[in-house]
Amino acid sequence: PTGWHVPSDTEWTTLTDYLGGSSIAGGKMKETGTTHWISPNTGGTNESGFTGLPGGFRNSGATFFDLGDFGSWWSSTEASSSAAWYHFLSYNNDNINRQNNNKGIGFSVRCVRD
């Protein structure tokens, strides 16, 4: 929407660093409890207020996977002409992980106010 943007890979890294680094920031970003995350939702404190939910992903064949297991969010930064960087949280650790994948994959997005 006007006045908002999909965060760059650098903006995701800035958030991760602010929350203490990739080995603990994920827990601070996850919704608490197991209403949406499968057990054990390791480290899920939502200390940051991000309230990350485990929306899983849609593959290029339009099939959905991993609802409850992972929350994955695109960045606006390309890794190549066919791939972009994304960041993801998992039910079984408190990391935030960074990878790239084909742009045809359906991950979530979080917008940041300009």
Side-chain angles (χ1 to χ4, degrees), residues 5 9 21 23 27-28 35 38 41-43 48 51-52 62 74 87 101-102 113-114:
H5 67 276
D9 187 54
S23 65
K28 295 177 180 181
T35 299
I38 64 169
N41 191 18
T42 303
S48 68
T51 315
W74 281 118
H87 296 254
N101 210 324
N102 184 288
R113 191 179 316 228
D114 292 341

Side-chain angles (χ1 to χ4, degrees), residues 3 21 32 37 54 86 106:
T32 59
W37 288 95
Y86 72 100

Side-chain angles (χ1 to χ4, degrees), residues 57-61 72 74 82 86 101-108:
F57 70 97
R58 180 195 44 81
N59 70 11
S60 58
S72 304
W74 281 118
S82 61
Y86 72 100
N101 210 324
N102 184 288
K103 294 177 188 178
I105 301 298
F107 293 133
S108 300

Side-chain angles (χ1 to χ4, degrees), residues 13-26 28 47 96:
T13 299
T14 298
L15 175 60
T16 298
D17 292 346
Y18 177 78
L19 294 174
S22 61
S23 65
I24 62 168
K28 295 177 180 181
E47 180 181 323
I96 183 166

Side-chain angles (χ1 to χ4, degrees), residues 25-38 40-54 68 73 89-91 110:
K28 295 177 180 181
M29 295 172 72
K30 290 192 293 183
E31 175 191 53
T32 59
T34 54
T35 299
H36 298 103
W37 288 95
I38 64 169
N41 191 18
T42 303
T45 66
N46 197 32
E47 180 181 323
S48 68
F50 185 86
T51 315
L53 296 172
W73 294 268
L89 310 175
S90 174
Y91 75 97
R110 288 289 290 255

Side-chain angles (χ1 to χ4, degrees), residues 3-15:
W4 297 80
H5 67 276
V6 175
S8 68
D9 187 54
T10 300
E11 287 174 300
W12 275 101
T13 299
T14 298
L15 175 60

